[in-house]
Each structure stands twice: as structure tokens, then as C-alpha cells.
Amino acid sequence: MEYLEFELPIKELEDQLQKCMVIGEESDVDVTETCSQIEKKLAQTRKDIYKNLTAWQKVQLSRHPSRPYTMDYINAICGDTFLELHGDRNVKDDKAMVGGLGKIGEQSYMFIGQQKGYNTKTRQYRNFGMANPEGYRKALRLMKSAEKFKIPVVCFVDTPGAYPGIEAEERGQGEAIARNILEMTRLKVPIIVIIIGEGASGGALGIGVGDKVLMLENTWYSVISPESCSSILWRSWEYKEQAAEALKLTATDMKKQGLVDEIVKEPLGGAHANRAKTFETVADKISSHFEELKKLSPKELVKTRMEKYANMGVFSE
């Protein structure tokens, strides 16, 4: 288990508990009461830490190396019903963007999402979750296929941004993202978007338009990362914590501003602390929102979706 800096008090107590249990096993000393006291203190420390997380700490949690990624959710939710589909039929198959058909219960869905790697080799293979234009074009191709066969779309957003390389720009990165945003607004099937980690910039928006947009509790959604914002405004990354607060990028901020529809509660300690519970919660949310959206006709879906996005940023004094 890896610990973030603000989680070190939890690690210390867990180490103390482990040592206490070892002493009890290796000697005749009764350590039951001591272990019980440490467990109580550990439970309280966990509550205190995760109840008062700052914006920057939530950004750190969203990047936790043990946090589940898109394929973890898909495999857990769909099991062996998932069939991955590849390629944009134009350039190549982008490994940072995954997608395919899968079932939750008896209902089929088209799942699409950015995929990060688990170690150095797979991170390079997945390009650190940063899709090229062909990734967004693959996503759009799958969405259009879903529309043709009247299958709802589920998008998992988890990216530090679209790939900013020269070759990506040469192949039309901006156009690919803009095209996806346009086509998603008028797609005639339900779209459910779930931000499961990082939701950065246009890279997130390229698959982020939906009838229902959900954010896991310890995720972030912003036009720019705190580090990049800090480097632009202060010419240094040292102000990233201040930038995170100013950007209002947490799930609570997004919900308050009306930019997302619901915050999905995570287990205490983050999604990685209890993966099974997180997967179950996300699957339930997808099913419940689809039950609500399937009552609308294609025309009503598009109309409601367009009105929703047209009203963002509107306010009255």
C-alpha cells in the first residue's frame, strides 16, 4: 500500500497496530486492549483526515497509483461480457482511449474511457492516458455505432489532458475534440459521463458531454491542472496548492456551480481503499440514471442535453 504525504499519520498507526499484534502472537502478553485503543484512534484519524481534505489533497488522491482505472471499472462491472473494439478506421488504434460493448445485468452499453498504465512499461504503452486525435475519433466512431443500434453510452473520464505533441497537432487534435463535443450534444442515445480520476482540459471534454455527468468524490475537473496554472501565473510549481484552491476544481465546487449533476461518494480513504464497493456503487449509478433517461425520446434527449449546456454559466444578479 502506498501512502500520500497527508496519509502518513494513518501509516504510523497501522504500523503500530501491526507491531502490537505481532507482540501478542509471539509472546504471552495480552495486547487486546492496546490493539483496541490503536484501532479506535486509527478509525478516528482516518475520519478526521478524509473529512477535511483540501483541493490539492483531492488532486493527489485522484492520481493515487492504486486508484482503479477505466479498464478496472469495465472488467469489474461487465465481467466477461465486455468486447473491446479498436481503431478509428483512419490512422491507428490509440491505446490511451479504450472502448467496447459490455453489459450491466441484461442491458448493453457502449463503454468508452481513457486508460492509464500501472507501471513504467504500461504507462508508456497507454501514453499516460493522453489520447491522440485518433483516440477521440475512435471514441466518436463507437458512439455513432451505439447510436445506430440504440445502445446507451457510458464514458469514464481520467486524463491529465489530450496529448500535446507535434504529431497530434498535425493530425488535428483540436478539431477532433471539437467534433466530439458537437456530435455528443446531438447523439440520439443516453450518455452518462463519470469522472473517475483526473478531468483535465479539452482532453476530458472530448468524451465529457453527457445527459448525466457524475464525479467521484475525490476527483477533479478543470480547464488546467494546478501545476500548470501555478507555472503560468507564478512561473513556478510551488504554488500548486494555492492554484488548486483558486481553480474550484473539486466535485463539491463543480456541483455547486451546476457543471456536474451528482457527486458519487467514495469509500473512506478513496476509491482504491475499497475497490469492490466503488465498482458496485458506480454500476448502480449507471443503471439508475439509465432507467431515468430511457423514458425520454431521442428528440427529448437531445433537446434537454442542449438546454443543459446552453444554460451553463448563465446567472442573474
Side-chain angles (χ1 to χ4, degrees), residues 42-55:
L42 178 59
Q44 188 58 47
T45 302
R46 276 203 183 103
K47 285 181 183 177
D48 292 341
I49 287 175
Y50 295 117
K51 184 175 67 176
N52 300 301
L53 292 175
T54 65

Side-chain angles (χ1 to χ4, degrees), residues 56 63 220 222-249:
W56 173 244
R63 299 168 174 169
W220 63 278
S222 175
V223 70
I224 193 170
S225 71
E227 295 96 329
S228 298
C229 177
S230 174
S231 66
I232 290 170
L233 294 181
W234 291 282
R235 300 288 188 269
S236 167
W237 279 27
E238 292 179 9
Y239 299 91
K240 55 187 179 291
E241 295 180 34
Q242 189 176 334
E245 291 292 339
L247 284 167
K248 302 294 181 189
L249 43 62

Side-chain angles (χ1 to χ4, degrees), residues 1 18 25 32 58 69 78 91 113 118 131 141 145 147 152 171 185 191 195 219 222 225 269 282 291 295 302 310 314:
M1 182 70 177
Q18 185 64 33
E25 290 170 3
T32 307
K58 289 191 175 185
Y69 297 139
C78 302
V91 178
Y118 302 95
R141 181 178 74 81
S145 295
E147 182 182 50
R171 293 196 296 273
T185 58
I191 308 173
I195 297 160
T219 61
S222 175
S225 71
V282 168
E291 288 300 314
K295 297 172 186 174
V302 174
V314 176

